[in-house]
Amino acid sequence: MTGLPVIRAHDYARAVTPSPSPGPADLEFDLDRSSPVPLYYQLAQQLESAIEHGTLPPGSLLGNEIELANRLGLSRPTVRQGIQSLVDKGLLVRRRGIGTQVVHSQVKRPLELSSLYDDLETAGQHPSTRVLRNEIQPASAEVAAALGISEGAEVAVVERLRLTHGQPMAQLRNHVPAGLLELDTDRLESTGLYRMMRSAGVTLHSANQSIGAREATAEEAELLEEPEGAALLTMRRTAYDNTGRAVEYGSHVYRASRYTFQFQLLVRG
């Protein structure tokens, strides 16, 4: 049995108990008591950073609140508030008889023309894919308008479940003009759609994208392992190649408990 990462404050006190999970390491948490930033927030932010970077992997066990408070030299309400903020984000879970445990890190995806598979792999999230559907069908009015083709024209429809660390993250539905490339199911389960496009000589150039939110249907909730009515993020995207041709129309839903979009805002001069 190996130890898990150890959180250290200024006095380098231990704050994580041993667990069967691999990867022992030391974390140095710098809690600045003179800062106007509340200590609970400092603790939560630095814990979240350790989770996101994989230093505290899924399954890591934290000591109980009293132990953490004593070892970090903090009050119990401070520790409780910091931990609760991460429980609310879905990064930690309290399990009876076990304690507070790391569940997973939340994926923060930049708003740019990239595939979810590439983003997850870059972030060290170990993506995997289950193909739910891969078939040719007539384009609906919505799909035809998005791809700039005639209604009823043939399109390839690919529906996939994307997972990280074995846990469902998103349900992806993509429509691609028939004949654009070979959409082999085995390859779709081992790599991303945009990688397959690049391999087929398709040069992605730009996209129109909209983001929204809604509640999960019963079917989506079961597939994504969320309660029925849970919050989902939605994304619709039409991607274009370097000739201006629409090459893909995607309609995706993501677990809001595990996924956020990030973007930078600039002031116009």
Side-chain angles (χ1 to χ4, degrees):
M1 179 178 297
T2 59
L4 271 175
V6 175
I7 302 171
R8 295 176 180 263
H10 285 304
D11 59 358
Y12 302 103
R14 289 183 175 272
V16 179
T17 59
S19 160
S21 301
D26 284 344
L27 293 178
E28 295 185 5
F29 274 37
D30 186 12
L31 302 177
D32 186 355
R33 299 171 193 277
S34 64
S35 170
V37 179
L39 287 171
Y40 86 86
Y41 188 79
Q42 293 184 47
L43 175 62
Q45 287 291 98
Q46 294 179 52
L47 270 172
E48 183 173 354
S49 177
I51 294 170
E52 287 182 354
H53 289 87
T55 313
L56 286 174
S60 299
L61 291 173
L62 305 184
N64 64 44
E65 292 173 0
I66 297 176
E67 293 172 341
L68 286 172
N70 290 337
R71 291 169 181 170
L72 292 175
L74 300 174
S75 69
R76 185 177 178 185
T78 295
V79 171
R80 183 188 304 118
Q81 191 172 4
I83 289 177
Q84 185 60 48
S85 68
L86 299 187
V87 171
D88 293 341
K89 286 186 175 184
L91 303 182
L92 299 176
V93 64
R94 289 188 172 98
R95 301 188 187 279
R96 185 179 297 275
I98 297 177
T100 304
Q101 190 171 29
V102 177
V103 183
H104 46 63
S105 59
Q106 188 177 52
V107 174
K108 297 180 179 179
R109 185 179 182 186
L111 282 181
E112 56 187 33
L113 185 52
S114 60
S115 73
L116 176 59
Y117 188 94
D118 289 344
D119 290 340
L120 292 173
E121 190 170 72
T122 299
Q125 292 287 331
H126 307 292
S128 60
T129 306
R130 186 193 313 162
V131 174
L132 307 174
R133 180 163 59 125
N134 184 6
E135 61 189 26
I136 301 293
Q137 69 176 32
S140 66
E142 176 188 341
V143 172
L147 292 176
I149 59 178
S150 301
E151 184 176 353
E154 287 191 340
V155 291
V157 183
V158 175
E159 189 169 345
R160 295 162 293 162
L161 182 67
R162 182 63 42 78
L163 306 97
T164 61
H165 301 290
Q167 297 296 314
M169 168 72 64
Q171 182 181 3
L172 315 175
R173 183 180 296 111
N174 299 84
H175 295 80
V176 177
L180 180 70
L181 75 162
E182 183 180 353
L183 294 172
D184 179 74
T185 296
D186 288 340
R187 286 197 66 198
L188 285 166
E189 290 193 336
S190 63
T191 190
L193 177 60
Y194 282 7
R195 285 190 184 181
M196 292 177 65
M197 286 186 173
R198 291 192 292 267
S199 296
V202 178
T203 302
L204 296 168
H205 178 266
S206 61
N208 292 327
Q209 180 169 286
S210 62
I211 296 171
R214 61 173 173 81
E215 295 182 348
T217 65
E219 180 181 357
E220 290 168 339
E222 182 178 2
L223 189 65
L224 295 172
E225 297 182 8
E226 289 278 3
E228 185 175 351
L232 298 179
L233 294 172
T234 66
M235 184 184 76
R236 294 180 184 275
R237 173 191 284 179
T238 302
Y240 303 87
D241 68 6
N242 57 348
T243 69
R245 173 183 55 166
V247 294
E248 176 254 346
Y249 172 60
S251 178
H252 306 163
V253 293
Y254 304 84
R255 297 173 65 179
S257 63
R258 295 201 56 191
Y259 193 89
T260 60
F261 290 103
Q262 283 189 321
F263 49 93
Q264 185 179 31
L265 301 178
L266 302 176
V267 177
R268 290 184 180 272

